[in-house]
Amino acid sequence: MKNFLNNIGYFVREAKTTIRLDLTSNIFSLFSTTLIFFILAMVISGWWMSNQVIEVIQGEAEINAYFDEQLEKKDIIELVESMNSIKGVEAARLVGEDEAYGRMAEILGKDAQVLAYFEDNPFHSFVEVKIHLDEMDSVLSHISAMEGVSYVRDNREVLERLHHIAGILELLGYVVVGAVGISTLVIISHIIRQGIYSNREQINTLRLLGAPEMFIAFPFVLEGLFLSAAGGSLAVVLAGFSIKYMYVQMAGPLPFIPLPSQEVLIVNMGILIIGLSACMGIIGSMMGLSSAKKN
């Protein structure tokens, strides 16, 4: 082990020499792995973002119950109290016309000026009911059957669509991970086989001198590790800039979407991609060594 550590400098120099011997091919391989890991990084980031959005929306699942305008104030208060007593209801509160107007103005942002064209407030009071998502069907049936309730609006369709999108992204993530793994292993193993073929005379000389197989093979493992990890690192940099651009673009028209922390997302994605690329580089190198040894 001590001799192995003492030869680290030699291994690194040999790996650099092997890369320089076929520099053009290695540069194209680096670009290929960068593109592959960039696609993976963006798919995984999209998957994490969609899951975050769904979790937040599920945690704030609510329905809006609209009541008959003829109801007296005391009847409305009794209606809200009755809703609070339903199993599965976390909280029910009355949202007045002015508050409903203010919410819409906040959502519209700069476009809120269109509301000024209405002579009267176009929004009606309603009861905002926060519920447990698992109890949505039961709560909906109870509230819809209550006297005085004219209409109930829920976000079930939004949640179902988000679940569908998240499922697609999850499936796509697994497919891309598999494709990235196979592509990286093929590229790295091919590079290692090519490097061994180009250095076959030096390898035979080292064997004649009694060098162990691990001593001969380790520079090629370093070569595969470096190319794959470098591609993963470049992909993380590109993905980081892309994610920041996406956040800037989404912050304007969609400020109400509960996106995860940009910094946390980039850091977690970077750790995953670089770690995965390093593992793929080592495995691909071992596959290339094994294939070359058989041939």
Side-chain angles (χ1 to χ4, degrees):
M1 183 66 182
K2 185 177 180 180
N3 291 332
F4 182 83
L5 294 175
N6 290 334
N7 288 306
I8 286 293
Y10 164 78
F11 294 144
V12 173
R13 288 193 302 271
E14 285 298 306
K16 289 181 179 178
T17 301
T18 305
I19 291 173
R20 284 198 299 267
L21 286 174
D22 196 6
L23 186 60
T24 303
S25 176
N26 286 326
I27 289 175
F28 279 111
S29 298
L30 177 62
F31 287 154
S32 298
T33 54
T34 299
L35 179 60
I36 290 170
F37 283 114
F38 172 74
I39 295 172
L40 176 62
M42 296 308 296
V43 170
I44 289 178
S45 298
W47 180 8
W48 287 349
M49 289 168 65
S50 65
N51 285 337
Q52 169 75 11
V53 171
I54 291 173
E55 287 178 7
V56 172
I57 292 178
Q58 285 180 336
E60 298 179 357
E62 64 181 38
I63 60 176
N64 297 331
Y66 293 85
F67 46 82
D68 297 332
E69 295 182 16
Q70 293 79 13
L71 287 179
E72 299 290 337
K73 187 173 182 180
K74 64 175 184 177
D75 296 327
I76 296 174
I77 294 174
E78 291 178 0
L79 186 65
V80 174
E81 291 176 350
S82 300
M83 291 180 183
N84 272 313
S85 64
I86 297 174
K87 181 183 177 183
V89 172
E90 189 174 324
R93 58 179 292 270
L94 179 65
V95 176
E97 295 178 358
D98 293 336
E99 184 178 350
Y101 184 97
R103 288 185 179 185
M104 182 55 66
E106 184 178 350
I107 292 173
L108 292 175
K110 295 180 180 179
D111 297 326
Q113 58 186 2
V114 299
L115 298 175
Y117 293 105
F118 294 94
E119 294 182 1
D120 300 319
N121 188 344
F123 303 101
H124 300 288
S125 300
F126 62 90
V127 182
E128 182 182 75
V129 187
K130 291 188 177 295
I131 65 174
H132 299 290
L133 196 62
D134 295 337
E135 302 284 346
M136 177 177 279
D137 292 333
S138 175
V139 172
L140 279 174
S141 61
H142 278 86
I143 293 180
S144 299
M146 294 179 71
E147 187 177 353
V149 175
S150 58
Y151 172 68
V152 178
R153 185 181 68 187
D154 63 83
N155 59 355
R156 185 205 307 257
E157 186 176 350
V158 174
L159 287 172
E160 288 178 351
R161 287 183 179 179
L162 286 173
H163 272 297
H164 181 64
I165 293 172
I168 292 175
L169 286 174
E170 182 176 0
L171 177 61
L172 182 61
Y174 288 129
V175 171
V176 172
V177 167
V180 165
I182 294 171
S183 302
T184 305
L185 293 178
V186 170
I187 291 172
I188 298 300
S189 62
H190 173 74
I191 292 171
I192 299 305
R193 286 197 304 270
Q194 188 67 29
I196 292 172
Y197 179 79
S198 301
N199 293 273
R200 59 190 182 279
E201 292 182 2
Q202 294 91 326
I203 292 173
N204 290 331
T205 301
L206 288 172
R207 283 174 175 165
L208 290 173
L209 293 173
E213 289 297 320
M214 187 60 190
F215 184 89
I216 298 172
F218 196 70
F220 296 102
V221 175
L222 282 181
E223 179 189 4
L225 173 61
F226 171 76
L227 289 174
S228 184
S233 300
L234 288 174
V236 168
V237 173
L238 293 175
F241 282 118
S242 299
I243 290 172
K244 288 180 180 179
Y245 178 77
M246 286 171 54
Y247 269 67
V248 170
Q249 295 300 312
M250 295 176 68
L254 300 171
F256 49 86
I257 292 183
L259 296 173
S261 169
Q262 183 182 137
E263 291 75 16
V264 173
L265 178 64
I266 292 175
V267 169
N268 290 341
M269 179 270 296
I271 293 173
L272 176 64
I273 295 300
I274 293 175
L276 186 62
S277 64
C279 292
M280 290 295 177
I282 294 173
I283 296 172
S285 299
M286 301 304 292
M287 289 176 59
L289 288 167
S290 177
S291 175
K293 196 172 183 180
K294 291 177 181 178
N295 295 330

